[in-house]
Amino acid sequence: MEESELYVFDLESKKIEKLGISRLGPDFHLSPDGRKLAYTLTKEEYPWQSNNPLEILDLETGKREKIHIDVDSIIEIVAYTKKGLYISWKEGTRIKVGFLNPDGKIETLTDDNSTVSWSAVSEDTDKLVCIKATPTKPFEIYLEGKKITNEGKIYKERLTSRKQLIRWKSLDGVEIEGVLSTPPDFDSSKRYPLLLIVHGGPTWLSFDIPTFSKAYPLEQFVEKGFIVLEPNYRGSDGYGEEFRRLNYRNLGIGDYADIMSGVDYLIEKGIADPERIGIMGWSQGGYITAFCSLYSNRFKAASVGAGISDWITYYCATDIHNFTVYFLGETPWNDEEIYKKTSPMTYIKNASTPTLIQHGDNDQRVPAPNAYKLYQGLKDMGVPVELVIFKGMGHGIHKPGIARAIMKQNLIWFSHYLLGEPMEGFYLKDHLND
């Protein structure tokens, strides 16, 4: 991102002018009259963990104006209209949208109970359209605050999980927040099998809204009698710049502390069964899952989705090499020790957790050798493991059929290892006579 360049092409003269904006972020918008450009920047220090400054460039005079924003979060520009700038930011487990006043103060346009996954503003009328959800209502499209879709009808005849935000202290005293999903008939005097779903990013979030995961069937897990914890571990956005920096040169180790302290918190409250705990995650969540399941013997099952198993393997093959340096502080050639310390494969001899590995063969972000390496290591250690490679799939899950297969495999995997149910339906051969 810091190497991006922005140019202006004059249609009449056919000349190209380099604007010379250093450390340009991926977010930039022209004003309606084409005279000004709003854009975000990345900081030289902690570029992935720091808040991103906002500037406005006057294309006629060349004057740059830094805009102070009264929010401790990574921001995104939603629109640049005649009225001004609209932005989006994360706050706790919410994504909000607001209008940015000239003094840097934000006029919030969405309510405190809503999470917005996408938004846009019309250039001429400044009408806001967004897709948002609440803790009790799934994502719907809203125009100027009025709901215009009814996707939630699919939940009408179903009992959905109850969600609550819980907080606990990590091993170093840092407060961590997470989303706990429980059955409608939850009994606090009973112990339930516990599943952890770890979000990716790492600067992403888990939200206390009806699930929209493409990999993990949270509602079906809860229907089967699980309780589910989605921790917003250190590095998650929504809790300020300082919190995002806490996993610098501390990947895996700090994540493990945040997650296991959350597990212990639920065990101490008497609602989680210490003998039936599972963990899963995609991308960075897959990495954290792999790390936790190898670093500890407390999990009865794990599912690693598109996860990093070895940082050197990842660094050499990924399409974003700088990501590793931004979080580990150096290349592996200058600091091999930090790469070993934070790599799941370093702890492969501790392995005991039955593990499902799901990966796309066309994944450029976390290339498939990460999956092969983890699979071979677990096989060599004699640990139950299944590797499923999805042909043609990249890092994300974009096809409904593949999403359904991934969800079904995860449901069967954890139901088998934590509830003792058969593995029927997991393998391709089980469908040959369908």
Side-chain angles (χ1 to χ4, degrees), residues 4-15:
S4 300
E5 298 286 356
L6 199 60
Y7 297 81
V8 173
F9 177 65
D10 190 298
L11 291 174
E12 294 184 0
S13 66
K14 309 299 182 186
K15 291 183 178 180

Side-chain angles (χ1 to χ4, degrees), residues 114-380:
S114 297
T115 292
V116 178
S117 68
W118 175 88
S119 57
V121 181
S122 61
E123 190 177 289
D124 52 348
T125 64
D126 282 79
K127 288 185 176 181
L128 172 67
V129 61
C130 63
I131 300 175
K132 67 179 182 179
T134 71
T136 58
K137 296 179 181 178
F139 283 111
E140 305 281 4
I141 300 175
Y142 291 79
L143 176 61
E144 290 292 278
K146 182 179 179 181
K147 185 165 73 76
I148 61 175
T149 58
N150 189 27
E151 294 301 305
K153 62 185 178 183
I154 63 173
Y155 291 95
K156 189 175 181 180
E157 304 300 326
R158 304 192 67 168
L159 292 175
T160 56
S161 64
R162 293 178 179 176
K163 300 183 183 298
Q164 67 179 105
L165 295 178
I166 62 172
R167 296 178 181 85
W168 64 90
K169 295 287 187 180
S170 187
L171 302 184
D172 58 0
V174 173
E175 185 174 78
I176 305 298
E177 185 172 64
V179 181
L180 180 64
S181 297
T182 58
D185 59 350
F186 175 72
D187 183 352
S188 61
S189 67
K190 290 175 54 179
R191 287 193 182 273
Y192 293 82
L194 170 65
L195 296 177
L196 292 108
I197 298 178
V198 188
H199 72 74
T203 53
W204 188 236
L205 277 172
S206 290
F207 306 97
D208 56 334
I209 57 176
T211 181
F212 60 105
S213 171
K214 297 177 182 178
Y216 308 112
L218 187 150
E219 294 297 332
Q220 284 82 358
F221 283 139
V222 173
E223 283 180 353
K224 276 185 167 287
F226 293 99
I227 59 174
V228 180
L229 177 62
E230 299 172 90
N232 283 331
Y233 54 87
R234 63 191 65 205
S236 303
D237 198 5
Y239 301 93
E241 186 175 72
E242 184 178 341
F243 186 80
R244 287 197 306 277
R245 292 182 181 179
L246 290 177
N247 63 1
Y248 177 71
R249 291 178 65 83
N250 195 28
L251 294 173
I253 305 295
D255 304 319
Y256 174 82
D258 297 345
I259 286 170
M260 295 314 303
S261 57
V263 169
D264 289 336
Y265 173 77
L266 294 178
I267 292 173
E268 290 167 8
K269 285 181 68 69
I271 61 174
D273 184 346
E275 300 302 319
R276 292 188 294 172
I277 306 171
I279 185 170
M280 68 201 81
W282 201 267
S283 189
Q284 184 75 7
Y287 156 71
I288 294 173
T289 294
F291 189 96
C292 289
S293 63
L294 294 178
Y295 200 72
S296 167
N297 62 0
R298 295 183 62 183
F299 296 99
K300 297 303 179 186
S303 176
V304 177
I308 298 154
S309 63
D310 178 81
W311 281 116
I312 295 180
T313 300
Y314 172 80
Y315 174 78
C316 293
T318 182
D319 61 350
I320 50 169
H321 302 277
N322 286 341
F323 173 90
T324 319
V325 177
Y326 290 155
F327 280 92
L328 297 183
E330 262 296 354
T331 67
W333 330 125
N334 291 329
D335 191 349
E336 186 178 1
E337 184 58 33
I338 190 64
Y339 280 72
K340 289 182 177 179
K341 179 182 177 181
T342 56
S343 289
M345 292 305 298
T346 299
Y347 311 98
I348 191 65
K349 290 186 178 180
N350 299 334
S352 64
T353 306
T355 302
L356 167 63
I357 305 170
Q358 298 169 311
H359 218 108
D361 70 342
N362 195 33
D363 192 338
Q364 305 301 311
R365 185 59 42 90
V366 182
N370 284 272
Y372 300 140
K373 193 166 190 175
L374 178 60
Y375 174 74
Q376 190 60 52
L378 290 170
K379 288 285 286 185
D380 291 345

Side-chain angles (χ1 to χ4, degrees), residues 47-114:
W48 279 65
Q49 298 95 334
S50 297
N51 295 339
N52 48 345
L54 173 66
E55 284 189 354
I56 295 180
L57 170 65
D58 189 314
L59 294 170
E60 294 181 340
T61 66
K63 181 182 177 181
R64 297 184 185 182
E65 178 185 7
K66 289 186 177 181
I67 307 298
H68 170 74
I69 302 178
D70 192 24
V71 63
D72 186 7
S73 180
I74 297 172
I75 65 159
E76 295 182 12
I77 302 173
V78 174
Y80 198 163
T81 71
K82 293 178 181 178
K83 182 180 177 182
L85 281 173
Y86 292 82
I87 64 171
S88 174
W89 71 99
K90 300 180 186 72
E91 190 174 306
T93 58
R94 299 283 179 265
I95 302 179
K96 299 185 174 184
V97 176
F99 178 73
L100 184 61
N101 291 307
D103 60 0
K105 300 292 183 181
I106 299 173
E107 177 188 347
T108 305
L109 302 175
T110 50
D111 61 86
D112 291 339
N113 204 36
S114 297

